[in-house]
Amino acid sequence: MKLRTILIATAVAAVALPASVQAHRQWMMPSMTVVSGEGADVWVTVDAAVSNDLFYFEHQPLRADIAVMLPDGTAGEVKNKATGRYRTTLDVQIQQRGTYKIFYASEGVMGSYKLNGEEVRLPRGTTADKLASVIPAGATDVRTSINSNRNEIFVTAGEPTTTVFKPTGKGIELVPVTHPNDLVMGEDATFQFLLDGKPTAGLAVTVIPGGIRYRDQLHQQDLTTGADGKVTIKWSDPGMTWINVTTPRAGGEEGGAPAPGGRRASYVTTVEVMAP
């Protein structure tokens, strides 16, 4: 039992699973990112989907346990959630001034082990606290990888606030230097990204403006966080813009396979860039 525990602990930090390629982009998009008022009659609708083109419903809905954090840091309520053939929709009532976070986050463990000469993959949905219970005694060649995914968007009523950006210490998280609801084309914006609560250099940052269905070029920016975890973005187009941050990928390309390693994480947000 002691040997099995050691094998598991060692393997969590040293992984080499086959890489997977992200074929489609997942996203959430609010009907507006800045709201002028608050109260019983003020609402924001969110579309959530997985698609090739940003932000069009042409592949499948985003199926996730989406939550809301209110400007004061307490949990809000998702209302009128519905999932159709191509998209999920939900409403959030805006009853406080400040910045809301609409999000989902997941973390799990992928991997495999050998038992009696046969390779066995870990069950889907395995979490770190359940890892010991799913690997039987006598298992060898244990290989695991902790995977974290986070998707979040921000809506501000009145003045922007920062309470909802308090890090949880899990996965990739955004800390605003520039507030994500205060973006203007022609002005640089700086964000800091943390991995498991620490500023991390070398995270791959992909920026793509929406509306790619109607232009030949993606206008994609491929950036990398610096030693302090920060990255500065120059907005090429106004409108809704998709940002994806991941642990390093082989080749460094958006949608490319993750580089080998024991920690994999992905962060997605949609921000709105205003015309000057």
Side-chain angles (χ1 to χ4, degrees):
M1 181 66 185
K2 184 176 180 180
L3 176 60
R4 183 161 63 99
T5 303
I6 293 173
L7 284 171
I8 292 168
T10 302
V12 165
V15 181
L17 287 177
S20 61
V21 176
Q22 180 181 348
H24 298 87
R25 302 180 182 95
Q26 59 169 270
W27 48 268
M28 295 193 290
M29 185 177 68
S31 56
M32 60 185 74
T33 60
V34 178
V35 183
S36 59
E38 73 278 355
D41 295 330
V42 182
W43 296 76
V44 168
T45 292
V46 175
D47 292 320
V50 180
S51 66
N52 284 310
D53 289 338
L54 297 167
F55 296 94
Y56 299 93
F57 325 115
E58 33 79 322
H59 182 56
Q60 65 183 38
L62 180 60
R63 295 182 174 89
D65 186 15
I66 299 171
V68 177
M69 181 179 289
L70 303 178
D72 63 6
T74 61
E77 183 179 0
V78 168
K79 297 184 178 180
N80 304 322
K81 184 178 179 181
T83 298
R85 173 61 183 85
Y86 288 121
R87 64 174 169 171
T88 293
T89 63
L90 57 94
D91 294 328
V92 177
Q93 194 170 19
I94 306 300
Q95 294 186 297
Q96 290 184 15
R97 295 179 68 82
T99 298
Y100 290 66
K101 179 166 71 174
I102 303 164
F103 69 103
Y104 77 86
S106 64
E107 185 169 278
V109 182
M110 299 176 62
S112 65
Y113 58 86
K114 285 188 176 180
L115 186 65
N116 300 324
E118 294 186 3
E119 183 171 340
V120 181
R121 290 194 174 279
L122 297 181
R124 182 182 295 273
T126 298
T127 54
D129 60 328
K130 304 293 185 185
L131 189 57
S133 65
V134 300
I135 299 180
T140 62
D141 298 317
V142 179
R143 300 150 69 92
T144 62
S145 171
I146 297 177
N147 295 272
S148 303
N149 297 289
R150 182 179 300 275
N151 189 332
E152 54 189 30
I153 55 176
F154 306 96
V155 174
T156 291
E159 291 297 320
T161 57
T162 59
T163 301
V164 299
F165 296 97
K166 182 180 180 181
T168 66
K170 294 183 177 180
I172 297 176
E173 296 177 278
L174 182 153
V175 176
V177 178
T178 304
H179 196 287
N181 291 140
D182 188 20
L183 308 178
V184 180
M185 185 179 172
E187 298 180 3
D188 294 350
T190 299
F191 301 134
Q192 184 182 44
F193 291 100
L194 312 180
L195 176 60
D196 296 335
K198 299 178 181 178
T200 302
L203 297 177
V205 181
T206 303
V207 181
I208 304 178
I212 58 179
R213 180 191 292 267
Y214 303 113
R215 61 177 186 263
D216 294 332
Q217 303 297 321
L218 279 180
H219 296 180
Q220 175 174 332
Q221 298 181 59
D222 294 308
L223 308 170
T224 304
T225 57
D228 53 4
K230 294 180 182 178
V231 64
T232 296
I233 301 172
K234 297 180 181 295
W235 308 109
S236 63
D237 301 78
M240 294 294 185
T241 299
W242 184 81
I243 300 175
N244 179 210
V245 185
T246 70
T247 44
R249 291 183 291 259
E253 297 179 354
E254 189 263 326
R263 187 70 175 96
R264 298 179 182 180
S266 175
Y267 177 92
V268 175
T269 187
T270 300
V271 298
E272 185 173 23
V273 179
M274 300 297 182

